[in-house]
Each structure stands twice: as C-alpha cells, then as structure tokens.
Amino acid sequence: MTSGFAAALGAWQERPGPLARSLSDAVREAVVDGRLPAGTRLPSERELARTLEISRGTVVTALTLLRDDGWLHTRHGSGSVVRLPARLTERTTPWSLDRGGAGDAVLDLTLAVTAAPHEAYLAALGRAAARSAVLLVDSGVATAGLPRLRELLADRYTRAGLPTRPEQILVTSGAQAALTLLLDHLHTDRRAPVAVENPTYPGALALLRRRRSRLLPVPVTAADGWDTEHLAAAPRDRRPRLAYLIPDFHNPTGAHMTRPVRAETARLAHRHGTTLLVDETMRDLDLRIPPGTEPYLAGPGVIQIGSTSKTLWSGLRVGWIRATAELVRELCRNPLQAQLSPPPLEQLIAEELFGDGLDEILADRRARLRAQRDHLARLLAGTGWTYTLPDGGLSLWLRLDSDASALAARAADHGLALTPGPHFAPDRATLTHHLRLPFTATPEVLTRAVDLLRLTARL
Amino acid sequence: MTSGFAAALGAWQERPGPLARSLSDAVREAVVDGRLPAGTRLPSERELARTLEISRGTVVTALTLLRDDGWLHTRHGSGSVVRLPARLTERTTPWSLDRGGAGDAVLDLTLAVTAAPHEAYLAALGRAAARSAVLLVDSGVATAGLPRLRELLADRYTRAGLPTRPEQILVTSGAQAALTLLLDHLHTDRRAPVAVENPTYPGALALLRRRRSRLLPVPVTAADGWDTEHLAAAPRDRRPRLAYLIPDFHNPTGAHMTRPVRAETARLAHRHGTTLLVDETMRDLDLRIPPGTEPYLAGPGVIQIGSTSKTLWSGLRVGWIRATAELVRELCRNPLQAQLSPPPLEQLIAEELFGDGLDEILADRRARLRAQRDHLARLLAGTGWTYTLPDGGLSLWLRLDSDASALAARAADHGLALTPGPHFAPDRATLTHHLRLPFTATPEVLTRAVDLLRLTARL
C-alpha cells in the first residue's frame, strides 16, 4: 500500500515550489486521474514521512492543505481517506471545462453540457456491476436495447401522456446516433430537401451537410418562437420528406413550441407526407415553476429522439428513438444500427438511473440550472445586449450590437471560448450578431466569463 | 434481505412441477438476469422455509439441486452464496447462444463470437469503477480516445514490431464502427470500385452495399490463400481507391497471408494509390504452437482496424484505427466520429484489460479454441465434406457436396441455425456449396450440432 501510494504520486519532488504544496498537488492530481481512487485510506503521517523521505512536518502541512481544500476526509481514530471535493462532484458543469486557474484562464463556453450526477452515477454503476452477470452470459451482440430499459423508456412516455410500447423504442448511443441512423434510413432521396429550424443544433447541420442534403430553413426566434407562416408553407410548397425540429427548449434559442403550433405542425406534416424527426434532448430541462404541460409533438409520421446526454451526462452514451414498432424493426436491419447501439453495460447503468431516483436527480439539476440562468441574466444587465430569458434548456441566445464572430475571436485571445451565431445557421453566414451562452457553468465561472466578455467588448 | 430474496424470485410457486424444482429454477433465473447478484448470501434454511411458506425439506432439496448444479457455494459455518457455475463463466461461447435444452434445442452456429472472459472482465470493471472519478469530472464528450488507452494500443503495435505513436490510434466502438468511419471519410468517389476478398465478412459487405459501392472481388480459398494474380491485377487494371482485406485468419476461410504476399500487396497498393483497410480482428486468435511470426500488413497507405469483439467479448465495444496521426486528426473532424466513439467507461475497462493479464486471457482462449477446433474436425471425419484446418480464427470453412442454402434451410427445421456460403459472397449468389462452422461453441454443443447436421444431410 505505502509503496503503491508513493508510485501513484510519480516524481512529485521534482515540481517547483514548496515541498508540502508539491505533495498536495500530486495527491490531488492522482485522485483526479484515478491513480489514487477516491476512498483510498492514506498511510499514517509517520509512515508517509518515512516512505516519501520527507519530514513529518511537511507531511502534516500537505495533508492540511488537502483537508482544507476538501480532498481529504479525516475521521478520528480511523485515518484519512482521499475523496473528491463537493465542488467537483456537485455541480452542473464538468470540472474539466474550467479547471484553468484565474491567472491563465481558458474558459470554455462552447459546450452546453452538464456534469455527471456524480453520486447517482457511481451508485448506478455499482448496482449495474452487481447485476452484470446477466450481460456476461450473453453474446454482447447489438440488439434493439435491453428489454427492461426499453420498458422503462416506454413507461416514461406513457406516464407523460404518450402511450408507448417497449417495441416502439430503439436504444441508441445518443441523440446524434439516433439521427445518423434515421437519416441513413429515411433520407434516401438526396434531392428532396430537409426542413430544419434556423438557427438549429450544429451537430444536426454537420450530419446533413455531410450527406449533401438540401436544407430548407424555418425561422425560429427566442421571442416569438416558430415562424408559423414558414412552418405552414414549407411542407406545402417544397415537399420536404423530412424535417428536424427541437420543439422543447430549442437549441440555441430556448424557444418552446406552443400547444396549438405543435398540433398544427403535426397535422401539416402528416397531410403533406413529411416525416418529423423531433429532438427531445432538452425536454426534461424545463426550468419553469411548476414545469409546463405542453404535450409531446406527436402523431402519425412523427419520430421522437431522446438522450441522456443533456439531462445526465454526455459520457453516458444512451439515447433512443421512439417510432412505430415496424420502423424500429426495420432500423434494426440497417447495417449502421449495431455500431450506433450502446454497449450493454452502459444500458444497464441507464436502467439503474431510469429506475427510482431519476426525477430527484432532474429536480436537483433544474434548480441549479435555474439559479445559474438567473445569475447569467443578472450579469448581463446593463450590457445593452438583448435576450429572451429561456424557459428551459442549457443556454441563452444573446443578441449583440456588433459582429459576434469578431467578438468571439477577440474573446479567445482573452482565454474565453464562445460559439457565435453563424455556427447555428443552416447557411453558415447569417445570425452574425448572435452568441450562444450556456449557463451550465458554475456561477463563479459565469461571472468570470461575463467579465471577460465585457472586457473584450470594451463595455 | 429475506423479503428482498422472496421478491427476486417472483411468482415461483405458480410454476408447474415439483416445488423444490420450481424454487431452484427460479433462483437460477434470478441469478442469471441479475435480480439476485452472484455473491448474494442466502438466508438460513429455516428462515427460507418461513419466508417462502414451504417446508424445510423442500428448501433443503432445492438448495441441493442448486449446489449440485454449481449455482450455490456453501462454506461450513458461513452459509450459502449464489454464484454462476463454472460452465457458464469459463467457456468460449456465450451461454445465451445454446441455453436451449437438448429436447427443443435451438443451436445457433451463425455467430462466431466468444463469451466474455467472466472473471477478468468483472475484475477490470471493478478497477475501472474505482477509477471512474477521472471520467466523471470530465465533460464526457467524445475524443480520439482516453490517452492511456491510446498509449496501451500503440505500445502493443510497437512491441509486436510495428512502431506506433499514441497519436496514430483512434479509439472506436468496434471494427465495424472503424470501417463505417473510414468508408465515410475515404470512399467519397462512389464510382471508384472497392476491392474485397471473395468470400469476406458479411458485415463489411452490408456496409459497402448500403453505400452502393462497386465491389471488385479478389478470390481467397482456405487451401491456397489469396489469388496473387488477381491481387496483382486488381489495383493495376481497375484502380480501386480502397481495398478491405483480412490477412490474419481470414473470415470465413481461416486463410493466413504469407510474408511475401503481405509485402507484395502493400507494395502494389502503394504503387497504384489504393488505400488498404486491413481488418486485424482475428490476428490475436493464432492457434498455432508456437504462434506464427508473420509481420503486420503495413506500409504507406495501409490503415489497420482492430477490435476486442472477437478476442474478448462483443459486448465490450472497443475497437481502433491505426493510421497516420494526420488522418486520425482528420477523422476526428468527421461528424460521424463522436457517434462511433465508445463511452469513456467502456474505454476505462479496456485500459484495465489491456494492462497486465491480457496475454494470459488470450492464451487461455486460444487453448480452448484450439481444442474445440480439433473436436469439430474429429466430428466431421467420414462426412465426405472437405475443409482445410484453419491456423487461427473462430470458424471452419466447409465445402459440402450439395447446396449449402438448402441444407441450412432443412437444418433450421431441426433447430440448428447455420450461415451458408452465399452470405459471404460479394455477389450474394456464388459459394453455394460452402458453410461456415464456428468452433466457438463448447465441445458438447459442437457434438450436438454436427449430429443434427449429419441427420439433416442424411449422412
């Protein structure tokens, strides 16, 4: 143990600066990168001093630094145990995205992703590991999804008012995987245009561009939502075979489709033979109190796409398609399906997370995101930049009074990475005065980011 | 615990037959599907009788059945613990593929896949779980692979004689995922033909057909290997931009490319500008004693594809591409890359498996596969069917004296599923007298399968 401990720390004595600080830094890094798993009990102070060939005083100072910073938990009589501090495990932004110090900060506001729900994930992983015999006696070859997970996902739809059978669920390795499979399967006539919102999710645009799809943009704004005239005209006049829509806390605007627009969209699509691919990735991130009651955008010819990547963690690669049982069976015969199906263990972890406790995790995340959204809004007061406070989702769609790409380029020089509007534009060129600001970061990081943004814009 | 135990068994008393048998069956099923994790300690006999409201005699009989069958381990003084019997955990074929009883047997010989190395996988999962803090502080967004895993994979190539840097490795969710990404990236001119072996892996054919690729078949036979005349003429005359090859224990023939043919293939491909996609999925399944020393099929314009699916388990969705560091960077910008990248946890498990102990696992699997291959060969003696004993891989390529598809159809009526030759043919129509027989099944299952095959063929 003791020599294993020394080995886990590497050549810590070669670091510059005081020995105690070097030692505590080395321990911290070893915990983060897993050489020293959280929960490891440290040798006694005397033992540490002997093994590391340093004075007991240095050991005491190093341990005090770690303890003060939350990396060490000491219980009288039973020694010290390393752990991850609460500020790393109880947060909505991945720690890796802002671990740069205040001095040479690199703040990344390009990703709108949530941190893993640390404790719940580890607990689910433990339960899944205990149950993994069920996987290991099987071939491991891809299927439509573990039966229990398909049941749980179908039940969630049914309980939320959209009756769904497990056979209607195809488990995928995420929403993008779902979209990839659906496009490969349904977008066979490449000349037929695909309707997309303008702006929309850049990941979807990248897939469509790679397929050289002809895009038919339908305007969406944060203030007014979907341009219903366009929405009505597009299927009638241009006959797209497919439309990709994000009706719930639309990315990036945060717009939320009203009940009548949902009904009318489903009706028109059905009438004109347009299949709707409805991305529900953000649906569970409703920040209203109480949450809204808009129904699913559903109906004949409507296919739902869901994912755990925004509500739980991007590293849990589990998403799904909800469609007719017949389409699910067809999709399983597509040669891409197996590659876009998550590993069985990942599905077992998702089963555990989707059992009891998911609503609690989501409620906690919503509360944090709401506070961060409001914090970001306060920080933007007096900038002159405009926005509509989004009812949900992970980001705020800001309208500047100058070119956003130029501002983003200058901000990058200050160590702040941002995504300007044209990234979200089907034509890559418009939306020049917009910027997406995720509020997934901690309030402290948001404060630093907006300070840098103001500095860059010389406000 | 006791009531949890009762709940895990479900409505076991409603089963037909003697109570003790019903109870032991219910326990077995609860262990397999994870409701009763292996390692669970059972309540005392008296406690069980009370909770389940049956006689103590019935409990004793049920536990004896379980113990005799290997599902229960009893240590004097410390009670009984449920476990998976060794015959389910120490085997090369997934138990799920032949769990049908001898009576209404459904034997599946269509999949050539190995069972998970049960203990090693569980140990690796445990270590990965202990280290998972390293993942959970990160965004979880797809990268080219965990740095340590890329290092381990690069080191394996380097130690085996092909110097490789970690930047040359792109981790994918399997060999099929690697091929999907490479085809999307490199197969941009759809009119240019793609050279493939005839026969070849049906999964690759499915992907190429889905892309409407023009296929240029190069004959391979189990006895004589690659048709070198074709292999030389194809790049010169038809200028394929890409070729997909399986030089190591070729699927399905088992052929192994000789040293001079490897060198000549690489030279010709480079000269005529053909990029070789070399599938190394079977390379570690060398059944020779000692293993052979053929070098990698490598050189400029050669891209390697590897996977853990055949050597370890199909449920561990980790594969890789070895290419130039520049191509790896380019592939990371492809919009499909993120979807074809395995979850971080899966990569961490692979790291653990690729550390110490992999060679031991592989040696054990090779010994079992060798014994099974030889057993299958003995079973086929006197059938009049011919084959060349393969030096490695997972299957034997049988030549019949009648139509294999007709035989497979009749075998299906007897409960034996087989893959006839045309599945492996680029033209889907030829190789009518061939059959692929995997020797991944246990000797007992192989015996039953060949009995059924003889019965079907009326031999």
Side-chain angles (χ1 to χ4, degrees):
Chain A
M1 168 63 224
T2 312
S3 65
F5 178 76
L9 299 186
W12 66 275
Q13 282 175 312
E14 289 166 19
R15 292 161 185 254
L19 265 187
R21 168 57 68 188
S22 298
L23 178 56
S24 77
D25 284 354
V27 170
R28 223 178 50 220
E29 287 165 24
V31 175
V32 167
D33 75 8
R35 280 172 285 133
L36 208 58
T40 303
R41 189 171 305 279
L42 292 194
S44 70
E45 289 172 0
R46 184 195 315 207
E47 182 77 7
L48 279 173
R50 200 182 53 75
T51 320
L52 301 173
E53 297 175 351
I54 51 177
S55 76
R56 185 139 170 205
T58 306
V59 170
V60 170
T61 310
L63 296 189
T64 305
L65 284 168
L66 286 167
R67 205 173 290 116
D68 290 352
D69 238 16
W71 293 86
L72 204 62
H73 180 69
T74 306
R75 247 208 317 234
H76 225 62
S78 62
S80 294
V81 166
V82 292
R83 65 173 182 189
L84 286 175
R87 70 176 183 287
L88 297 194
T89 57
E90 294 170 15
R91 49 190 288 138
T92 51
T93 198
W95 181 67
S96 67
L97 290 185
D98 55 38
R99 66 169 118 185
D104 56 342
V106 178
L107 293 184
D108 187 345
L109 288 198
T110 60
L111 289 175
V113 292
T114 47
H118 200 93
E119 273 185 39
Y121 178 90
L122 284 177
L125 170 55
R127 292 193 302 271
R131 286 178 58 206
S132 56
V134 60
L135 308 178
L136 291 168
V137 297
D138 190 56
S139 68
V141 168
T143 65
L146 294 184
R148 179 75 190 129
L149 181 57
R150 295 172 83 191
E151 264 174 42
L152 286 166
L153 293 168
D155 283 355
R156 261 186 96 74
Y157 277 108
T158 303
R159 274 185 284 122
L162 190 60
T164 304
R165 287 172 295 122
E167 307 84 69
Q168 290 180 260
I169 302 288
L170 178 66
V171 179
T172 67
S173 51
Q176 280 284 86
L179 187 57
T180 299
L181 183 59
L182 287 166
L183 288 178
D184 188 77
H185 199 75
L186 299 171
H187 181 44
T188 43
D189 175 5
R190 301 206 173 200
R191 289 159 310 171
V194 178
V196 294
E197 289 141 342
N198 180 22
T200 190
Y201 172 50
L205 289 175
L207 284 179
L208 288 163
R209 284 181 188 133
R210 183 81 198 161
R211 300 179 65 83
R212 300 175 195 282
S213 309
R214 289 170 53 207
L215 301 178
L216 177 56
V218 174
V220 182
T221 64
D224 302 317
W226 284 255
D227 179 329
T228 45
E229 225 164 280
H230 260 84
L231 211 54
R236 190 185 57 219
D237 303 343
R238 303 283 303 279
R239 299 278 163 151
R241 289 287 310 281
L242 288 173
Y244 171 75
L245 298 175
I246 315 171
D248 298 290
F249 317 116
H250 172 262
N251 186 0
T253 65
H256 199 51
M257 207 182 259
T258 61
R259 195 180 281 263
V261 175
R262 281 172 199 250
E264 181 64 6
T265 303
R267 198 187 62 79
L268 283 170
H270 181 54
R271 178 164 159 197
H272 298 291
T274 304
T275 300
L276 298 185
L277 307 179
V278 173
D279 186 336
E280 293 173 351
T281 307
M282 300 285 184
R283 186 171 168 97
D284 279 337
L285 296 171
D286 190 335
L287 303 183
R288 293 169 292 184
I289 305 177
T293 56
E294 290 85 355
Y296 285 96
L297 174 37
V302 180
I303 297 170
Q304 276 85 16
I305 295 173
S307 169
T308 57
S309 68
K310 300 294 189 182
T311 43
L312 294 169
W313 181 42
S314 287
L316 180 72
R317 305 279 173 75
V318 173
W320 60 88
I321 291 168
R322 179 191 177 276
T324 62
E326 191 194 341
L327 182 61
V328 166
R329 279 192 303 273
E330 266 179 42
L331 290 169
C332 284
R333 289 193 293 268
N334 186 296
L336 290 184
Q337 190 263 332
Q339 289 98 279
L340 299 170
S341 170
L345 177 64
E346 209 73 3
Q347 297 188 52
L348 207 56
I349 297 171
E351 271 187 18
E352 293 293 339
L353 285 166
F354 269 87
D356 294 343
L358 178 62
D359 291 331
E360 214 172 299
I361 299 173
L362 291 178
D364 175 70
R365 316 214 114 197
R366 280 195 288 256
R368 284 171 194 269
L369 287 168
R370 193 183 298 120
Q372 287 165 196
R373 176 197 63 181
D374 296 344
H375 181 73
L376 179 58
R378 280 192 297 274
L379 294 170
L380 292 170
T383 56
W385 299 331
T386 57
Y387 60 87
T388 301
L389 197 72
D391 275 341
L394 298 172
S395 57
L396 189 147
W397 184 236
L398 202 60
R399 192 186 151 83
L400 310 176
D401 46 15
S402 64
D403 185 82
S405 300
L407 183 68
R410 291 202 309 276
D413 293 339
H414 287 91
L416 173 64
L418 296 166
T419 317
H423 276 80
F424 302 88
D427 66 5
R428 301 177 199 244
T430 50
L431 302 167
T432 52
H433 284 48
H434 282 87
L435 203 59
R436 184 182 75 166
L437 288 186
F439 43 81
T440 44
T442 53
E444 175 225 10
V445 168
L446 289 173
T447 302
R448 281 159 58 207
V450 174
D451 281 350
L452 283 172
L453 196 58
R454 282 172 177 268
L455 181 73
T456 306
R458 297 192 191 83
L459 286 182
Chain B
M1 166 63 225
T2 312
S3 64
F5 178 76
L9 300 186
W12 66 275
Q13 282 175 310
E14 290 166 20
R15 293 162 185 252
L19 265 187
R21 167 58 69 189
S22 298
L23 177 56
S24 78
D25 284 355
V27 170
R28 223 178 50 220
E29 286 164 26
V31 175
V32 168
D33 76 6
R35 280 171 285 134
L36 208 57
T40 303
R41 188 172 304 282
L42 292 195
S44 70
E45 290 171 0
R46 183 192 320 205
E47 182 79 6
L48 280 173
R50 200 184 52 76
T51 319
L52 302 173
E53 297 174 352
I54 51 177
S55 76
R56 184 136 171 208
T58 307
V59 170
V60 169
T61 310
L63 296 188
T64 305
L65 284 169
L66 287 166
R67 203 174 290 115
D68 290 351
D69 237 17
W71 294 86
L72 202 63
H73 180 70
T74 305
R75 249 210 314 237
H76 226 61
S78 63
S80 293
V81 166
V82 292
R83 65 172 180 189
L84 286 175
R87 69 176 186 286
L88 296 195
T89 58
E90 294 171 17
R91 49 190 288 139
T92 50
T93 197
W95 182 68
S96 67
L97 290 185
D98 56 39
R99 67 168 117 183
D104 56 340
V106 177
L107 294 184
D108 187 346
L109 289 197
T110 59
L111 289 175
V113 293
T114 48
H118 200 93
E119 275 187 36
Y121 178 90
L122 284 178
L125 170 55
R127 293 195 301 272
R131 287 177 58 207
S132 58
V134 60
L135 307 178
L136 292 168
V137 298
D138 190 57
S139 68
V141 168
T143 64
L146 294 184
R148 179 73 190 131
L149 181 57
R150 296 172 82 191
E151 263 174 44
L152 286 166
L153 293 169
D155 284 356
R156 259 186 97 76
Y157 277 108
T158 303
R159 276 185 282 122
L162 189 60
T164 304
R165 288 172 294 120
E167 306 85 71
Q168 291 179 258
I169 302 288
L170 178 66
V171 179
T172 67
S173 50
Q176 280 284 85
L179 186 58
T180 300
L181 183 60
L182 287 166
L183 288 178
D184 188 78
H185 199 75
L186 299 171
H187 182 44
T188 43
D189 176 5
R190 300 205 173 199
R191 288 160 312 170
V194 177
V196 293
E197 290 141 341
N198 180 23
T200 190
Y201 171 51
L205 289 175
L207 284 178
L208 288 163
R209 285 182 188 132
R210 183 81 198 158
R211 301 180 65 84
R212 301 174 196 281
S213 310
R214 289 170 52 206
L215 301 178
L216 178 57
V218 175
V220 182
T221 65
D224 302 317
W226 283 255
D227 179 330
T228 46
E229 225 164 279
H230 259 86
L231 210 54
R236 189 185 59 219
D237 303 343
R238 303 282 304 278
R239 299 279 163 151
R241 288 287 311 279
L242 289 173
Y244 171 76
L245 298 174
I246 314 172
D248 298 290
F249 315 117
H250 172 261
N251 186 1
T253 65
H256 198 51
M257 207 182 258
T258 61
R259 194 180 282 265
V261 175
R262 281 172 199 252
E264 182 65 6
T265 303
R267 197 187 64 77
L268 282 170
H270 182 52
R271 179 163 159 201
H272 297 293
T274 304
T275 299
L276 298 186
L277 306 179
V278 173
D279 186 335
E280 294 174 350
T281 306
M282 299 285 184
R283 187 173 167 97
D284 280 336
L285 295 172
D286 191 335
L287 303 183
R288 293 170 292 184
I289 304 176
T293 56
E294 291 86 356
Y296 284 96
L297 173 39
V302 181
I303 297 170
Q304 276 85 17
I305 294 173
S307 169
T308 57
S309 69
K310 299 294 188 183
T311 44
L312 294 170
W313 180 42
S314 287
L316 179 72
R317 305 279 172 75
V318 173
W320 59 89
I321 291 168
R322 179 192 176 275
T324 62
E326 192 193 342
L327 181 61
V328 167
R329 280 193 302 273
E330 266 179 43
L331 289 170
C332 284
R333 289 192 292 268
N334 185 297
L336 290 185
Q337 190 265 330
Q339 288 98 279
L340 298 170
S341 170
L345 176 65
E346 209 72 4
Q347 297 188 50
L348 207 57
I349 297 171
E351 272 188 17
E352 293 294 338
L353 285 167
F354 270 88
D356 295 341
L358 178 62
D359 290 331
E360 213 172 298
I361 300 172
L362 290 179
D364 175 68
R365 317 213 114 201
R366 280 194 289 255
R368 284 170 194 269
L369 287 169
R370 194 183 299 118
Q372 287 164 197
R373 175 197 64 181
D374 297 344
H375 181 74
L376 178 58
R378 279 191 299 275
L379 294 170
L380 292 170
T383 55
W385 299 331
T386 58
Y387 60 87
T388 300
L389 197 72
D391 275 342
L394 298 173
S395 57
L396 191 147
W397 185 234
L398 201 62
R399 193 185 151 83
L400 310 177
D401 45 17
S402 64
D403 185 82
S405 300
L407 183 67
R410 291 202 310 275
D413 292 339
H414 287 90
L416 173 65
L418 296 165
T419 318
H423 277 79
F424 303 89
D427 65 5
R428 300 178 200 241
T430 51
L431 302 167
T432 51
H433 284 48
H434 282 87
L435 203 59
R436 184 181 76 166
L437 287 186
F439 44 80
T440 43
T442 53
E444 176 226 8
V445 168
L446 289 173
T447 302
R448 280 160 57 208
V450 175
D451 281 349
L452 282 174
L453 197 57
R454 281 172 178 266
L455 181 73
T456 306
R458 298 193 189 83
L459 286 181

